[in-house]
Amino acid sequence: MFRFFYNLFLPLGFLFFIPGLYLKYRNRGGWKDTFGERFGHFKPERVRELAEYHGAVWVHAVSVGETVVAMSMIRTWHQMHPERKFILSTTTTTGQELARKQAPPSTAVIFCPIDFLWMVRRTLNVLKPAMLVIFETEIWPNMVAETRKRGIPVALVNGRMSDHSARGYRRARLFFGPLLKMFNLISVQTQADFDRYKSVSPEANVVVSGNLKFDQKAPENLPEPEYERYFGPGRHLILLAASTHPGEEELIAETFKKLKDEVPELKLVLVPRHAERGGDIAEMLKSHLLDFARRSRQAEADPPVDVLLADTTGEMLKLMNGADIVIMGKSLAGHDEGHNLIEPALLDKPIVTGHVLRNFRFILNVLLQENAVATVTHDSELEEQLRKLLVNKELREELGKRAGRTIRKHAGATERTVNELESLLKK
């Protein structure tokens, strides 16, 4: 019954979804040549190519962050079971581009279909997977139900559910309860996530496996960010603000201007979460009279500038690796959902973030327990927190090393998750 009403109202909801879908397609970079797959349309050559992957494990991620973790899991899975083949799907063009560039061997890459029945059915007819593995929060009713209808096991891995989401799911438990029960396995990050899922669907098969993101490894031989092209020769102190959202860039730019007077060698790198906001951020930097270069526009800056606006995609780790301090976005200027702290920690970078992080609370608490992250309760504290780190190299380096050690201590979730998924395949 719940799917009847879902499919009844889905076309109406999609009408509101179309403008945003078009704007993202037009404004965001990334792979777009096979975007028709979002609508269940596969070119004949793609159908022939994907026929080689019949019986593969279909792994679905959303955007860049989930795709990175999904590829890490696939690599481990392939090492443990070399006979397995995989199909990796993404929702965004940026996630698709990353997957196309870095997908492990024996892995095909596609766009995930929109959750209309005929689009999902067409995709399943083309792929013929042995299993569907969905990452984190991508619970699409038709995708799950149609896969199960064909006798194909469906699993949700690295699952998480915030307090806010749990309240919404419980209010609509007549819809979400049966949907979650359809999963053969829901593998979640923490006991709190387990409790929230069970509160929505007591009969769902939920297990705690840990956070797959703790098993990420920093890539070897990361290329140089070539900051001297923008900042000129010599030693600089690089403050990088990662995955920022509206309001945060201005707060960080204002704070940077104050600190620059005290620390002349300080340089700022802004990496917005959505590169298409580059134009708006550039206007803000102009209004603050800051000399800057846009990475999407200029090969180099002449004369050298104080700020690099990295309005590009797929370069975060490279840029982060050359930084001295990392501010993680979506945690300041009224934002409290947060972004993944694990990537800078794996690079042994000192991290500054807001103090809430509703979507990454467990990771934040793990780091706080080891005194391995610097938090800001109010935006006004950002300046002083950064000043402490900028003037004390030993403090910076020790904070970064503690972060790296703490994350590595919590590894092991990937192997546990793969073993659980293999058990499903063998049933």
Side-chain angles (χ1 to χ4, degrees), residues 189-226:
Q189 299 178 14
T190 68
Q191 183 63 41
D193 294 310
F194 175 95
D195 294 339
R196 292 178 193 123
Y197 271 97
K198 282 291 194 178
S199 73
V200 178
S201 183
E203 295 180 306
N205 181 27
V206 187
V207 300
V208 180
S209 299
N211 193 330
L212 297 177
K213 292 178 179 176
F214 285 122
D215 289 340
Q216 288 177 250
K217 293 180 175 60
E220 296 180 3
N221 302 317
L222 275 171
E224 291 294 324
E226 300 177 321

Side-chain angles (χ1 to χ4, degrees), residues 75 80 152 182 221 232 245 258 274 353 379:
R75 288 188 190 96
M80 295 169 66
I152 301 168
M182 283 187 184
N221 302 317
H245 288 253
K258 296 173 185 176
H274 300 123
T353 184
D379 291 345

Side-chain angles (χ1 to χ4, degrees), residues 170-393:
R170 282 194 293 270
R171 282 194 293 268
R173 64 170 51 131
L174 288 178
F175 178 87
F176 286 107
L179 177 58
L180 294 177
K181 188 181 173 183
M182 283 187 184
F183 283 90
N184 298 82
L185 173 71
I186 298 175
S187 174
V188 300
Q189 299 178 14
T190 68
Q191 183 63 41
D193 294 310
F194 175 95
D195 294 339
R196 292 178 193 123
Y197 271 97
K198 282 291 194 178
S199 73
V200 178
S201 183
E203 295 180 306
N205 181 27
V206 187
V207 300
V208 180
S209 299
N211 193 330
L212 297 177
K213 292 178 179 176
F214 285 122
D215 289 340
Q216 288 177 250
K217 293 180 175 60
E220 296 180 3
N221 302 317
L222 275 171
E224 291 294 324
E226 300 177 321
Y227 284 138
E228 65 275 5
R229 289 168 50 189
Y230 306 96
F231 302 141
R235 173 71 181 121
H236 305 292
L237 263 176
I238 307 295
L239 173 63
L240 183 140
S243 295
T244 54
H245 288 253
E248 292 183 310
E249 295 93 1
E250 186 160 19
L251 169 66
I252 293 165
E254 291 171 350
T255 305
F256 167 77
K257 284 185 72 173
K258 296 173 185 176
L259 293 169
K260 177 74 174 172
D261 292 336
E262 303 172 36
V263 187
E265 67 271 28
L266 183 62
K267 302 291 182 181
L268 174 64
V269 180
L270 289 174
V271 191
R273 177 67 170 179
H274 300 123
E276 66 269 23
R277 294 184 50 245
D280 293 337
I281 299 169
E283 290 301 315
M284 180 275 295
L285 293 172
K286 288 178 186 176
S287 71
H288 284 273
L289 304 179
L290 284 165
D291 295 326
F292 70 95
R294 291 180 66 175
R295 191 165 174 86
S296 65
R297 300 279 179 88
Q298 294 177 245
E300 59 187 48
D302 185 25
V305 298
D306 289 327
V307 181
L308 172 61
L309 171 53
D311 52 343
T312 53
T313 58
E315 296 191 294
M316 181 67 81
L317 282 177
K318 176 174 71 174
L319 295 171
M320 199 178 276
N321 196 41
D324 295 285
I325 300 172
V326 174
I327 302 172
M328 287 304 297
K330 211 173 188 180
S331 67
L332 303 167
H335 300 280
D336 63 1
E337 292 181 334
H339 278 302
N340 183 15
L341 306 178
I342 290 178
E343 288 182 346
L346 287 173
L347 296 170
D348 293 335
K349 299 298 177 182
I351 305 164
V352 178
T353 184
H355 74 296
V356 178
L357 307 199
R358 288 190 289 116
N359 287 344
F360 297 90
R361 185 182 308 163
F362 179 73
I363 296 172
L364 176 62
N365 287 339
V366 164
L367 291 169
L368 284 172
Q369 288 168 10
E370 300 291 335
N371 194 24
V373 63
T375 58
V376 174
T377 304
H378 302 290
D379 291 345
S380 58
E381 298 174 6
L382 179 63
E383 180 182 345
E384 184 55 33
Q385 192 68 273
L386 291 173
R387 181 179 287 109
K388 290 177 185 176
L389 294 171
L390 289 169
V391 300
N392 191 330
K393 181 179 179 181

